[in-house]
Amino acid sequence: MSKFLFCVPDIDECKPPISVYCGLNAACQNVQGSFHCHCNPGYKLLSGDTQFENSNENTCQKTTSSKTNRDTEELQRVVEKFESLLTNDTPWAMGEKREVASRATTLLQTVESSALETALKSPEQKIQKIHNSTVAIETLVVTDNCSEEGKVFSLNTYMNSVDIRCDDIVQENVKGPTAIAFISYSSLGNIINATFFEEANGKDRVYLNSQVVSAAIGPERNTSLPKSVILTFQHVKMKPSSEKAICVYWKSMNEGGQWSSDGCFLIQANKSHTICNSTHLSSFAVLVALTNQEEDPVLVVITYVGLGLSLLCLLLAALTFLLCKAIQNTSTSLHLQLSICLFLAHLLFLTAIDQTKIKLLCTIIAGALHYLYLASFTWMLLDGLHLFLTARNLTVVNYTSVSRFMKRLMFPVGYGVPALIVAISAASRPSLYGTPTRCWLHTDKGFVWTFLGPVCTIFSINLAFFLMTFWIVKNKLSSLNRDVSTLQNTRMLTFKATAQLLILGCTWCLGVLQVGPAARVMAYLFTIINSLQGVFIFLVYCLLSQQVRKWFREIMKSKPESETYTLSTRFGANSRPSEGGVFSQSN
């Protein structure tokens, strides 16, 4: 989807390469799906109409009455009055923050009311425009009660614009014409700047990166709308991709006023423009937040130490699953694939997560991490399914059709499903693999949900498997009396099901809970537990297994025996060491 598709779905015939020519003393006005021509201020058609289609219909003549000039001069006086108030630096510089906010609120409302009042004095002068170095105003009067269904008006000042439906301008409780005023202030943002944004995170640097604009309809200044308006802002300076745009409006309060994001939503943002929509009319701006939090050195140490231990334990676990013949079955195969995927994911995370200098390389690393972590979760899901089937078929799981079914299913699902998700994600949004600071998924357009969505789904399914497994095991325990071996297997199965859900599932929920006052605590818990997943896997599936411990003891015993055998064969059965010892040399 191309940028700004939501707001500019049609071709602007008034701009190059088309540039419709309306004739002398006339201008082109683009509307949704079409365009029209209208006479410049101070001119009107001989027919009395307000618009026409092409230059052949242009009969724009200078009005003989001085009323239009008076209206324009009145609007000019509004601009000059605002300019005089704004350029008087003393009240702004000397006043407290609350006083400055209160003065700004009064000023904004005064300009809006004056512009609407001036426009409604001359309803036949449908469009009026005026601007100087500090403020630009465009007004539009609607008199036809929106006879054209779905008609949208676009007003532009200082490269900012507002798109509003005709139905939203016309006020049902008002007889006669209605008007909309759109105002851009070139320097007001220097006064009511980002310091008036109370919702800002203390760790984020926020600044105002647009002009302040106002949109109002009259004669009654209704603010709430049945449908949202679209606002397009040109940035004061280019916005880096690492910075986040925030759409805000000026909220008047008893304390004066402040910037708020309530009812304002971001549609699209690039380096030069931001598009917002709002469910009400007010004064608006775009704030930009640059999250520049320094990494917590303690969390960094925990991450590297934890992942280092996990890599070692995952390697030992994989070797155990491969070499210990006594435990090799379907469950071991699932644990082996899980260990391999987590090992590769953790290794790539440690060595390449911050390799952002080469964009293509960073994209490949982000895609690989996306795939490996999704594959790890998919193997967790298969393990949960196998635990459930094992509980249901406790004594014959490795000799029934269940085992054959799992063997046929696990590799296509375990590696195929993550590959399909990553392929679709990469094909739809390849540019969102990699951020300016990390080789991971970008948060723009909700792209990170290509990972979080499957993870939440897998966790929910595994939770269902766990509850069913627990219920089945509980019934089996109540029915077992003398079969000690089956009783032990059932209890171990219950323990593994619980450990699997907590270690490989619930811990990831801590990442979602890193908000609000508990964010720091959750960050530490998430980092500690998730970085030690490999240690937990080795502990639960290897060290707590009686067969694996027996295999480890046999390996440890076989080593000194082999050394004794080597020394015995080297010196002979009847040979004796010299007085200087076995390794002494004769003179």
Side-chain angles (χ1 to χ4, degrees):
M1 182 181 294
S2 63
K3 292 182 178 179
F4 309 122
L5 184 61
F6 181 87
C7 297
V8 192
D10 65 321
I11 298 173
D12 191 345
E13 294 87 353
C14 299
K15 295 181 179 179
I18 300 176
S19 299
V20 170
Y21 177 64
C22 293
L24 294 174
N25 304 318
C28 178
Q29 176 71 44
N30 184 63
V31 294
Q32 189 76 13
S34 183
F35 71 95
H36 63 256
C37 298
H38 62 85
C39 296
N40 291 333
Y43 296 83
K44 67 177 182 178
L45 293 172
L46 294 177
S47 62
D49 294 335
T50 57
Q51 61 188 48
F52 53 97
E53 296 299 326
N54 54 62
S55 59
N56 294 331
E57 303 173 17
N58 185 349
T59 59
C60 294
Q61 299 291 326
K62 192 173 183 66
T63 54
T64 56
S65 170
S66 61
K67 188 176 188 306
T68 300
N69 291 332
R70 288 199 304 271
D71 294 334
T72 304
E73 290 172 359
E74 188 169 349
L75 195 59
Q76 179 68 41
R77 283 195 294 271
V78 172
V79 171
E80 291 174 353
K81 181 180 179 181
F82 166 79
E83 189 173 22
S84 65
L85 292 172
L86 192 62
T87 53
N88 186 3
D89 295 334
T90 303
W92 304 106
M94 300 301 293
E96 296 181 355
K97 187 175 180 180
R98 179 177 176 178
E99 183 182 351
V100 170
S102 179
R103 288 176 58 84
T105 301
T106 303
L107 184 65
L108 289 167
Q109 293 176 354
T110 301
V111 175
E112 290 174 15
S113 299
S114 300
L116 290 172
E117 183 181 349
T118 302
L120 290 170
K121 284 182 179 179
S122 304
E124 72 281 357
Q125 195 69 18
K126 184 175 181 181
I127 297 174
Q128 295 189 51
K129 293 184 179 182
I130 194 165
H131 66 86
N132 63 9
S133 59
T134 57
V135 63
I137 301 175
E138 180 174 354
T139 61
L140 172 69
V141 179
V142 179
T143 58
D144 59 358
N145 292 324
C146 302
S147 56
E148 184 180 338
E149 186 176 355
K151 191 173 185 179
V152 176
F153 292 109
S154 179
L155 283 74
N156 301 270
T157 54
Y158 283 158
M159 303 303 291
N160 306 304
S161 67
V162 60
D163 295 333
I164 185 169
R165 297 173 183 271
C166 183
D167 295 336
D168 292 335
I169 300 175
V170 175
Q171 300 173 327
E172 296 180 356
N173 58 336
V174 176
K175 294 182 179 180
T178 55
I180 177 171
F182 185 61
I183 309 158
S184 289
Y185 306 93
S186 62
S187 57
L188 186 58
N190 297 329
I191 298 173
I192 48 174
N193 50 35
T195 61
F196 290 85
F197 185 51
E198 303 297 333
E199 302 170 29
N201 188 327
K203 296 181 179 179
D204 295 342
R205 291 191 291 115
V206 181
Y207 64 93
L208 195 145
N209 197 25
S210 75
Q211 295 174 344
V212 177
V213 303
S214 296
I217 55 176
E220 296 184 5
R221 294 182 65 256
N222 291 350
T223 56
S224 53
L225 300 171
K227 295 180 181 179
S228 59
V229 297
I230 306 297
L231 297 148
T232 302
F233 298 86
Q234 185 178 49
H235 295 159
V236 174
K237 65 178 183 178
M238 292 295 178
K239 182 186 79 67
S241 57
S242 60
E243 298 180 357
K244 178 183 178 182
I246 307 171
C247 301
V248 293
Y249 82 101
W250 185 254
K251 181 179 181 180
S252 59
M253 306 169 61
N254 293 333
E255 294 79 11
Q258 66 181 29
W259 292 116
S260 172
S261 59
D262 294 340
C264 296
F265 306 97
L266 176 69
I267 296 177
Q268 183 68 272
N270 62 10
K271 292 182 179 180
S272 60
H273 290 80
T274 291
I275 302 179
C276 309
N277 70 359
S278 174
T279 56
H280 52 77
L281 294 181
S282 179
S283 296
F284 304 91
V286 173
L287 300 178
V288 171
L290 174 59
T291 303
N292 191 23
Q293 301 180 17
E294 295 183 359
E295 289 186 316
D296 189 331
V298 177
L299 285 178
V300 173
V301 171
I302 292 173
T303 299
Y304 278 88
V305 172
L307 289 182
L309 289 173
S310 283
L311 287 174
L312 176 61
C313 291
L314 287 169
L315 180 60
L316 292 175
L319 291 174
T320 302
F321 298 143
L322 280 172
L323 301 176
C324 184
K325 303 294 183 183
I327 63 169
Q328 288 183 351
N329 52 32
T330 304
S331 180
T332 305
S333 298
L334 292 168
H335 299 154
L336 174 62
Q337 303 307 318
L338 171 60
S339 299
I340 292 173
C341 290
L342 272 179
F343 179 86
L344 294 175
H346 289 345
L347 182 63
L348 187 61
F349 182 93
L350 276 179
T351 58
I353 189 66
D354 56 354
Q355 301 297 317
T356 58
K357 292 183 179 180
I358 304 175
K359 174 63 177 175
L360 179 60
L361 177 61
C362 187
T363 299
I364 295 172
I365 292 170
L369 284 172
H370 190 196
Y371 174 76
L372 288 171
Y373 278 118
L374 279 181
S376 300
F377 274 97
T378 307
W379 286 107
M380 293 176 196
L381 174 64
L382 290 171
D383 202 13
L385 173 62
H386 185 258
L387 279 172
F388 167 68
L389 296 176
T390 303
R392 200 178 62 175
N393 307 275
L394 187 62
T395 58
V396 293
V397 65
N398 293 318
Y399 307 99
T400 61
S401 59
V402 172
S403 181
R404 293 193 296 271
F405 169 74
M406 287 297 300
K407 288 179 180 178
R408 290 195 301 266
L409 175 73
M410 60 184 189
F411 283 100
V413 173
Y415 289 112
V417 171
L420 180 63
I421 294 173
V422 174
I424 294 174
S425 303
S428 61
R429 306 277 190 209
S431 61
L432 296 183
Y433 276 99
T435 72
T437 56
R438 289 288 184 271
C439 295
W440 183 236
L441 309 184
H442 215 291
T443 57
D444 284 358
K445 304 177 183 177
F447 188 70
V448 73
W449 282 98
T450 58
F451 174 72
L452 294 180
V455 167
C456 292
T457 302
I458 289 172
F459 173 76
S460 301
I461 297 173
N462 259 358
L463 179 60
F465 282 148
F466 167 74
L467 294 175
M468 290 187 290
T469 301
F470 187 80
W471 178 260
I472 293 171
V473 168
K474 181 181 178 183
N475 292 337
K476 283 185 177 292
L477 286 172
S478 61
S479 63
L480 292 173
N481 295 319
R482 298 180 180 179
D483 191 345
V484 178
S485 176
T486 306
L487 183 63
Q488 290 177 345
N489 289 337
T490 306
R491 286 175 175 171
M492 180 57 68
L493 184 66
T494 306
F495 172 75
K496 287 184 176 180
T498 306
Q500 168 131 330
L501 184 73
L502 294 176
I503 297 170
L504 305 180
C506 289
T507 54
W508 288 87
C509 296
L510 296 174
V512 182
L513 298 176
Q514 293 183 36
V515 294
R520 189 175 182 83
V521 176
M522 291 300 173
Y524 273 89
L525 289 175
F526 175 79
T527 304
I528 293 171
I529 298 176
N530 279 275
S531 64
L532 294 175
Q533 279 186 337
V535 178
F536 295 140
I537 289 174
F538 182 66
L539 174 66
V540 173
Y541 295 118
C542 295
L543 294 184
L544 294 182
S545 170
Q546 185 177 359
Q547 293 170 308
V548 173
R549 292 200 303 270
K550 181 180 178 181
W551 180 66
F552 282 159
R553 285 195 295 268
E554 290 175 354
I555 293 176
M556 297 301 293
K557 287 180 180 179
S558 65
K559 184 175 181 180
E561 290 176 359
S562 62
E563 290 177 355
T564 303
Y565 176 77
T566 302
L567 290 174
S568 299
T569 54
R570 180 176 179 181
F571 294 109
N574 298 321
S575 62
R576 293 181 180 180
S578 63
E579 292 180 0
V582 173
F583 298 102
S584 64
Q585 297 178 351
S586 58
N587 295 328

